[in-house]
């Protein structure tokens, strides 16, 4: 075939060939699609099984997410509510503070108004006489203050610090007094801050503020200086010093449109003084109590050492007497009839000494074991303290006279006279009861722990007997031997120092005439 024929045949059969090829390719693609569909169906089936298997977990996660969303919403709502409540509370608190401040200011203003009204009424009734009297009182107080500043504060201003404690409960401590002092100082600061410490008649605000500030500063400087000098015996003087500062500051402030310290502020600072003194005194009392406790402990330790020593000495003496008794009994058995009388007397004496040593040792052991046993002593020292002044004390020493001798050492010029040594199973309680009974008769009103009382020996004896203690030997009259002998010697010295009458006569004759 020629070329043309071939081309013609190709043109005729080419579409059929292309159609066949396309069909073959479509079948191949269909098979691939069917396989893909099968895989998809299989995947969908597995996915369905997976969802069915893990559906509860999915539901829980969904539920948890829902709960979390709800919790966040609730928290947001609660937070908003809390912020609203806090805002309202803050506003309420602010309003309450403003109301309280307003009430305080109104009360202060009302008090001033009432005071001013009363003064105006008094002026209307009394006229110029009231004003003249007020000025006279002011001048008089200023004069007294100036005199005290120049001459000093004399004994007429003495008020015992201890009197501050009279209205307080017995168990009131210096810590509680310290809290009261803090409260008093806080009130003083608030009065200054609120402008209630001073007053002035200036109409212009700046001048009035400056004048009041100047007066208050001057007054506080004087008061603070006075309070820093608080001691155990100057309450009355410091109180007067503060009152004088009030008078002087008000007197000096008169030219500045009557710049002055208010009476209320003076009272507040006097209250501060009261609690300062109370804190000082209570702290001092507690220190003294601690010192007394330590001294008592030392005394008891010394007493115990003495008891131990007495016990050992008694035991040693017992051993020596036992040996002596054994020896005496041995010699008695070998003695003749004439020697037996002598040995029996010696034996009886040794047995009595042995019993006495045993008793002393037993007493030492007993007193060491029972710490409240002891002796209350009643002693006096006329030469040192005068008539009818007695010291009532207590000791746990086995020999109470050792304690009495210690008290009569170099600290006093003469030895003490003993009126009674009273043994008691509860010596501290007996001593306390006697001190309570004669409290008003205490010589030292500030520190009654000195244990000296101005009373009679018969009154002390009667009080002891009222406690059921009768088997006590009392010496009602003090011998005061050293004191009386010293008086006699001094009398002889004074008599020897007097000029002889005849010598005086001779001297007067021999003197030349003027």
């Amino acid at each position: 075939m020629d070329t043309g024929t071939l081309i013609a045949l190709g043109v005729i059969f080419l579409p059929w060939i292309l159609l066949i090829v396309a069909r073959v390719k479509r079948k191949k693609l269909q098979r691939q699609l069917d396989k893909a569909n099968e895989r998809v169906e299989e995947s969908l089936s597995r996915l369905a099984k997976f969802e069915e298997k893990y559906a509860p977990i999915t539901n829980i996660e969904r539920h948890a997410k829902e709960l979390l969303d709800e919790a966040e919403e609730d928290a947001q709502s609660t937070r908003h509510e809390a912020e609203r409540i806090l805002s309202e509370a803050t506003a309420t608190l602010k309003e309450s503070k403003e109301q309280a401040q307003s009430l305080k200011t109104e009360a202060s203003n009302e008090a001033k108004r009432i005071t001013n009204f009363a003064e105006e009424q008094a002026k209307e009734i009394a006229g110029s006489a009231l004003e003249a009297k007020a000025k006279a009182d002011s001048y008089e107080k200023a004069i007294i203050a100036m005199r005290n500043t120049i001459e000093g504060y004399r004994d007429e201003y003495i008020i015992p610090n201890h009197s501050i404690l009279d209205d307080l409960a017995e168990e009131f401590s210096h810590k509680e007094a310290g809290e009261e002092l803090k409260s008093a100082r806080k009130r003083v600061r608030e009065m200054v801050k609120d402008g209630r410490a001073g007053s002035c008649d200036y109409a212009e605000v700046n001048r009035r503020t400056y004048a009041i500030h100047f007066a208050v500063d001057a007054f506080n400087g004087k008061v603070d200086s006075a309070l820093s000098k608080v001691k155990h015996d100057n309450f009355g003087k410091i109180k007067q010093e503060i009152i004088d500062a009030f008078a002087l500051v008000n007197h000096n402030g008169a030219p500045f449109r009557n710049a002055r310290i208010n009476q209320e502020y003076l009272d507040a600072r006097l209250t501060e003084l009261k609690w300062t003194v109370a804190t000082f005194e209570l702290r001092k009392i507690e220190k003294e109590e601690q010192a007394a406790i330590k001294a008592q402990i030392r005394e008891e330790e010394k007493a115990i050492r003495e008891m131990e020593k007495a016990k050992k000495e008694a035991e040693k003496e017992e051993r020596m007497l036992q040996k002596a008794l054994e020896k005496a009994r041995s010699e008695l058995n070998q003695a003749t009839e004439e020697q037996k009388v002598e040995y029996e007397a010696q034996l009886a004496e040794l047995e009595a000494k042995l019993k006495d040593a045993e008793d002393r040792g037993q007493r030492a052991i007993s007193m060491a074991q029972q710490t409240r046993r002891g002796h209350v002593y009643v002693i006096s020292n006329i030469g040192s303290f005068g008539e009818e002044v007695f010291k009532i004390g207590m000791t746990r020493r086995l020999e109470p006279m050792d304690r009495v001798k210690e008290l009569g050492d170099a600290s006093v010029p003469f030895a003490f006279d003993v009126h009674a040594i009273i043994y008691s199973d509860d010596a501290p309680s007996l001593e306390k009861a006697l001190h309570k009974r004669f409290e008003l008769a205490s010589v030292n009103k500030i520190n009654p722990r000195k244990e000296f009382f101005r009373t009679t020996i018969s009154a002390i004896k009667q009080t002891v007997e009222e406690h059921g203690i009768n088997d006590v030997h009392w010496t009602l009259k003090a011998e005061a031997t050293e004191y009386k002998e010293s008086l006699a010697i001094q009398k002889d010295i004074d008599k020897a120092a007097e000029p002889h009458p005849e010598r005086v006569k001779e001297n007067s004759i021999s003197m030349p005439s003027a």
Side-chain angles (χ1 to χ4, degrees):
M1 289 186 190
D2 56 7
T3 308
T5 303
L6 291 172
I7 294 170
L9 288 172
V11 171
I12 294 170
F13 291 107
L14 182 60
W16 292 100
I17 295 169
L18 293 174
L19 180 62
I20 292 168
V21 170
R23 285 180 178 175
V24 171
K25 287 184 178 180
R26 187 174 64 181
K27 287 180 180 180
K28 186 177 180 181
L29 289 172
Q30 186 65 43
R31 285 196 299 271
Q32 290 178 350
L33 181 61
D34 291 341
K35 288 182 180 179
N37 286 334
E38 287 176 1
R39 287 196 211 98
V40 169
E41 288 293 335
E42 185 179 354
S43 298
L44 289 173
S45 176
R46 285 201 301 270
L47 180 61
K49 291 179 181 178
F50 181 83
E51 286 179 350
E52 183 180 358
K53 182 177 179 181
Y54 294 100
I57 296 175
T58 307
N59 293 337
I60 289 171
E61 289 178 352
R62 187 182 303 110
H63 184 61
K65 187 176 184 306
E66 291 174 358
L67 290 176
L68 183 60
D69 292 340
E70 290 178 5
E72 287 180 355
E73 291 177 2
D74 291 342
Q76 187 71 15
S77 175
T78 304
R79 185 161 54 249
H80 290 324
E81 183 67 16
E83 289 174 355
R84 184 185 65 79
I85 293 172
L86 180 61
S87 177
E88 290 178 359
T90 304
T92 304
L93 179 61
K94 183 179 179 181
E95 184 180 355
S96 299
K97 285 183 177 179
E98 290 175 353
Q99 289 177 354
Q101 184 64 34
S102 176
L103 288 172
K104 187 164 68 172
T105 305
E106 287 177 9
S108 178
N109 293 336
E110 183 66 15
K112 289 179 181 178
R113 190 188 65 77
I114 292 171
T115 304
N116 294 335
F117 178 75
E119 289 176 354
E120 289 173 3
Q121 290 293 104
K123 285 179 181 179
E124 288 180 7
I125 295 169
S128 60
L130 181 64
E131 187 176 353
K133 183 181 182 304
K135 286 184 178 179
D137 290 344
S138 175
Y139 286 135
E140 183 181 358
K141 291 176 181 177
I143 290 168
I144 292 172
M146 291 176 186
R147 185 195 67 193
N148 289 335
T149 302
I150 295 168
E151 298 179 0
Y153 292 88
R154 299 179 297 277
D155 291 345
E156 63 186 277
Y157 295 117
I158 289 178
I159 300 174
N161 286 18
H162 202 269
S163 63
I164 290 292
L165 309 180
D166 292 344
D167 296 332
L168 302 180
E170 289 186 4
E171 65 275 9
F172 202 86
S173 69
H174 87 271
K175 291 183 180 178
E176 292 169 311
E179 291 300 319
E180 294 288 348
L181 177 59
K182 286 181 182 178
S183 177
R185 287 174 174 169
K186 181 181 178 183
R187 181 167 180 258
V188 166
R189 290 193 299 269
E190 287 178 350
M191 290 184 71
V192 173
K193 183 180 178 181
D194 297 342
R196 293 183 289 129
S199 303
C200 183
D201 296 336
Y202 274 123
E204 204 245 316
V205 176
N206 287 338
R207 285 190 177 184
R208 184 171 64 251
T209 302
Y210 180 78
I212 293 172
H213 182 73
F214 184 79
V216 171
D217 273 1
F219 178 67
N220 281 341
K222 291 177 180 291
V223 174
D224 292 340
S225 175
L227 290 174
S228 68
K229 296 183 289 187
V230 167
K231 296 189 299 183
H232 69 279
D233 60 351
N234 63 351
F235 166 60
K237 293 181 179 180
I238 290 180
K239 180 180 179 181
Q240 186 60 39
E241 191 173 341
I242 293 173
I243 293 171
D244 288 349
F246 175 76
L248 285 174
V249 169
N250 286 359
H251 177 73
N252 294 332
F256 301 96
R257 296 303 300 272
N258 202 21
R260 61 198 177 275
I261 302 299
N262 291 334
Q263 179 67 39
E264 181 187 5
Y265 189 64
L266 170 64
D267 294 339
R269 299 240 61 179
L270 289 176
T271 300
E272 182 184 354
L273 168 65
K274 170 190 169 183
W275 288 115
T276 301
V277 172
T279 303
F280 179 89
E281 285 298 310
L282 289 168
R283 185 184 290 113
K284 182 167 73 72
I285 288 171
E286 290 188 12
K287 284 182 179 179
E288 289 173 353
E289 287 176 349
Q290 291 298 319
I293 291 170
K294 289 177 182 177
Q296 183 179 353
I297 291 172
R298 288 195 298 271
E299 177 71 12
E300 290 182 356
E301 288 175 348
K302 191 171 184 179
I304 291 170
R305 287 196 299 271
E306 289 184 357
M307 291 172 195
E308 290 293 332
K309 182 181 177 182
K311 187 180 74 170
K312 289 179 181 178
E313 289 177 352
E315 290 173 352
K316 182 179 178 181
E317 189 176 356
E318 281 180 40
R319 290 193 297 270
M320 292 174 62
L321 289 170
Q322 285 284 6
K323 290 180 180 178
L325 276 170
E326 290 173 3
K327 183 179 178 182
R329 289 192 185 103
S330 175
E331 291 176 349
L332 179 63
N333 293 331
Q334 299 174 3
T336 62
E337 291 297 328
E338 294 177 357
Q339 293 174 328
K340 280 185 179 181
V341 176
E342 182 181 349
Y343 281 124
E344 285 175 352
Q346 184 180 356
L347 194 62
E349 183 182 356
L350 288 172
E351 287 175 346
K353 288 183 179 180
L354 179 60
K355 187 177 185 307
D356 181 59
E358 289 174 348
D359 290 343
R360 279 190 282 112
Q362 190 61 39
R363 190 165 69 251
I365 294 170
S366 178
M367 289 188 71
Q369 290 173 342
Q370 300 187 32
T371 58
R372 299 193 69 83
R373 288 186 176 185
H375 295 86
V376 174
Y377 53 82
V378 181
I379 58 179
S380 68
N381 196 320
I382 295 175
S384 302
F385 309 111
E387 299 278 354
E388 295 190 340
V389 175
F390 301 91
K391 180 175 175 64
I392 303 173
M394 188 272 291
T395 180
R396 290 186 57 252
R397 305 272 186 93
L398 192 61
E399 296 297 334
M401 283 303 298
D402 290 347
R403 176 59 177 160
V404 176
K405 289 174 183 176
E406 277 185 4
L407 293 172
D409 61 6
S411 59
V412 289
F414 304 103
F416 280 90
D417 284 295
V418 179
H419 295 275
I421 298 288
I422 309 160
Y423 173 77
S424 174
D425 289 334
D426 192 356
S429 294
L430 176 60
E431 181 198 35
K432 186 177 180 180
L434 291 172
H435 288 178
K436 188 70 176 176
R437 164 65 179 79
F438 297 104
E439 183 178 6
L440 296 177
S442 176
V443 174
N444 190 333
K445 304 298 184 185
I446 304 301
N447 185 7
R449 292 177 185 81
K450 295 296 184 180
E451 303 179 337
F452 284 93
F453 305 90
R454 195 177 301 280
T455 183
T456 62
I457 191 64
S458 58
I460 300 174
K461 182 174 181 291
Q462 181 182 352
T463 305
V464 171
E465 290 173 350
E466 286 172 359
H467 283 77
I469 303 173
N470 298 303
D471 55 340
V472 179
H473 174 71
W474 289 88
T475 302
L476 302 181
K477 185 173 178 61
E479 292 183 3
T481 306
E482 292 181 353
Y483 173 60
K484 291 177 181 177
E485 288 180 359
S486 297
L487 286 180
I489 294 170
Q490 185 62 46
K491 188 176 180 180
D492 291 341
I493 292 171
D494 294 341
K495 187 176 180 181
E498 291 178 358
H500 196 276
E502 293 182 359
R503 292 177 183 173
V504 172
K505 187 176 180 180
E506 290 174 1
N507 291 338
S508 63
I509 293 172
S510 61
M511 286 179 64
S513 58

